[in-house]
């Protein structure tokens, strides 16, 4: 499969999977096709096509089927069967938890998985996350030099793997193509770099599967600043994409909206540093202190 052009699933496969889900859910509830058609308000011939996998299903029809079967729309579309029956029960249990409980559960799970050993005795991999202009590319090399580890920018790895600039990747292959390359590059860094400081793209937190891998394999530090500071730093880079007043207004609005949309995801990082008004040295000192604190608490936990 071509990593850039091929989607994980085509429309036909999605329709087939939906048909299988509907048939399975109906059978589990001992419903006839006629009963499901009546309860969902969908005609019997059309429901028959859906279950065969050749129905052109709208969002409204999907919602009506899910309601009639008492399942989520995600359950009808997702490819989760390979995880077994426990998966569905675990998901339902997690849905009943509060946000604070979910954070504790996730931390507990991470601490009990096999990769825990890769972080014991010290911080092996460090990832810097945050919006553009947060200071990742500035702090990263300084932190790597201080720790005696390589520094890698994930976006540079993506461009290298694609053999073109990031702008070209987005233009030709779109967001989905970029995200697939980003995940491949992250996996390659994890496989080949037991010690590294990694600067990630700002949107990596919006891809749950990739972000989960990052949080699991790295000590993550969220660098952030006030929106005005982000914008000032981006302006200092003389980016052609914000060369006019109109583009600058749009860029500022995008920074504000992106921070609002992603802050809860960024906050899942192990640590965070507000870089507003700080020198590179001050941010570096803060990062090193956080890492030392983490190493101490980790070693203390292992010793006990």
């Amino acid at each position: 499969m071509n990593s850039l052009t091929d989607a994980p699933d085509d429309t036909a496969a999605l329709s087939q999977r939906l048909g299988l889900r509907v048939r399975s859910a109906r059978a589990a509830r001992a419903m006839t096709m006629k009963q499901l058609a009546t309860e969902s308000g969908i005609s019997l011939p059309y429901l028959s096509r859906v279950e065969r996998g050749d129905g052109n299903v709208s969002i409204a029809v999907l919602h009506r089927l899910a309601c009639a079967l008492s399942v989520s729309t995600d359950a009808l579309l997702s490819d989760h069967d390979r995880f077994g029956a426990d998966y569905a029960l675990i998901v339902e249990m997690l849905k009943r938890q509060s946000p604070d409980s979910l954070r504790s559960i996730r931390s507990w799970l991470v601490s009990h998985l096999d990769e825990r050993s890769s972080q014991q005795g010290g911080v092996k991999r460090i990832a810097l996350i945050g919006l553009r202009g947060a200071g990742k590319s500035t702090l990263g090399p300084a932190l790597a030099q201080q720790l005696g580890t390589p520094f890698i920018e994930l976006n540079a790895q993506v461009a290298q793997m694609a053999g073109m600039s990031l702008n070209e990747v987005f233009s030709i292959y779109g967001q989905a193509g970029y995200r697939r390359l980003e995940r491949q590059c992250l996996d390659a860094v994890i496989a080949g770099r037991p010690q590294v400081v990694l600067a990630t793209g700002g949107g990596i937190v919006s891809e749950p599967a990739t972000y989960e891998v990052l949080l699991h394999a790295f000590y993550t530090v969220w660098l952030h600043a006030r929106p005005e500071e982000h914008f000032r730093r981006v302006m200092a880079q003389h980016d052609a994409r914000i060369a006019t007043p109109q583009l600058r207004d749009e860029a500022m609005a995008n920074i504000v909206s992106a921070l609002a949309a992603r802050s809860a995801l960024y906050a899942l990082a192990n640590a965070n540093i507000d870089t507003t008004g700080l020198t590179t040295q001050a941010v570096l000192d803060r990062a090193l202190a956080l890492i030392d604190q983490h190493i101490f608490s980790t070693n203390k936990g292992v010793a006990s």
Side-chain angles (χ1 to χ4, degrees):
M1 183 176 75
N2 186 301
S3 61
L4 288 171
T5 57
D6 293 338
D9 248 330
D10 58 21
T11 303
L14 182 61
S15 296
Q16 291 289 329
R17 188 162 69 240
L18 174 60
L20 176 62
R21 292 293 193 289
V22 172
R23 290 197 306 273
S24 297
R26 178 169 62 79
R29 288 155 181 79
M31 296 176 72
T32 66
M33 191 181 295
K34 184 176 181 179
Q35 286 174 323
L36 178 56
T38 300
E39 294 193 23
S40 64
I42 299 171
S43 71
L44 191 57
Y46 182 61
L47 178 58
S48 177
R49 290 183 56 200
V50 170
E51 292 200 0
R52 289 200 309 268
D54 61 1
N56 186 13
V57 180
S58 68
I59 294 176
V61 168
L62 182 65
H63 176 69
R64 284 154 65 183
L65 283 171
C67 290
L69 292 166
S70 298
V71 298
S72 67
T73 53
D74 175 68
L76 293 178
L77 293 173
S78 61
D79 187 22
H80 291 153
D81 285 351
R82 65 185 185 274
F83 299 123
D86 284 326
Y87 180 86
L89 296 179
I90 290 171
V91 169
E92 292 305 317
M93 178 189 69
L94 293 177
K95 287 179 180 178
R96 294 188 284 104
Q97 309 305 312
S98 68
D100 288 341
S101 294
L102 286 173
R103 173 173 285 222
S104 298
I105 291 169
R106 185 179 66 82
S107 297
W108 183 87
L109 285 172
V110 169
S111 70
H112 284 74
L113 294 177
D114 292 341
E115 287 184 18
R116 180 188 183 192
S117 60
S118 67
Q119 294 292 343
Q120 290 179 356
V123 176
K124 308 300 183 184
R125 302 189 193 95
I126 299 167
L128 306 178
I129 66 174
L131 289 182
R132 187 178 175 201
K136 295 172 293 185
S137 297
T138 301
L139 174 64
L143 184 60
Q145 182 178 20
Q146 190 73 23
L147 297 174
T149 64
F151 170 69
I152 292 177
E153 287 195 276
L154 194 57
N155 275 343
Q157 298 295 298
V158 170
Q160 181 178 339
M161 179 176 283
M164 62 184 74
S165 69
L166 288 182
N167 286 342
E168 290 173 313
V169 171
F170 280 106
S171 176
I172 297 172
Y173 301 109
Q175 182 82 215
Y178 167 79
R179 290 302 173 198
R180 287 193 290 276
L181 270 177
E182 180 182 56
R183 175 57 185 273
Q184 291 176 32
C185 290
L186 178 62
D187 289 342
V189 170
I190 293 171
R193 299 286 187 175
Q195 295 185 341
V196 68
V197 174
L198 181 72
T200 68
I204 196 170
V205 299
S206 301
E207 194 69 18
T210 302
Y211 191 33
E212 189 280 327
V213 170
L214 184 80
L215 290 172
H216 197 166
F218 290 78
Y219 178 79
T220 50
V221 181
W222 172 28
L223 302 180
H224 56 96
R226 290 196 298 266
E228 297 79 11
E229 183 75 2
H230 278 281
F231 183 72
R232 184 189 66 76
R233 293 170 184 173
V234 172
M235 282 288 292
Q237 298 172 8
H238 304 291
D239 193 327
R241 290 173 293 182
I242 53 173
T244 68
Q246 180 180 355
L247 291 175
R248 288 194 287 271
D249 289 343
E250 291 177 0
M252 183 62 185
N254 287 339
I255 288 172
V256 172
S257 61
L259 273 175
R262 297 175 184 170
S263 288
L265 294 168
Y266 285 137
L268 297 175
N270 299 101
N272 77 88
I273 302 175
D274 186 344
T275 64
T276 303
L278 298 182
T279 64
T280 300
Q281 186 61 50
V283 177
L284 176 61
D285 290 343
R286 176 61 177 154
L288 290 171
L290 289 168
I291 292 168
D292 286 343
Q293 181 181 355
H294 177 72
I295 292 173
F296 174 77
S297 62
T298 301
N299 290 339
K300 183 178 179 181
V302 172
S304 62

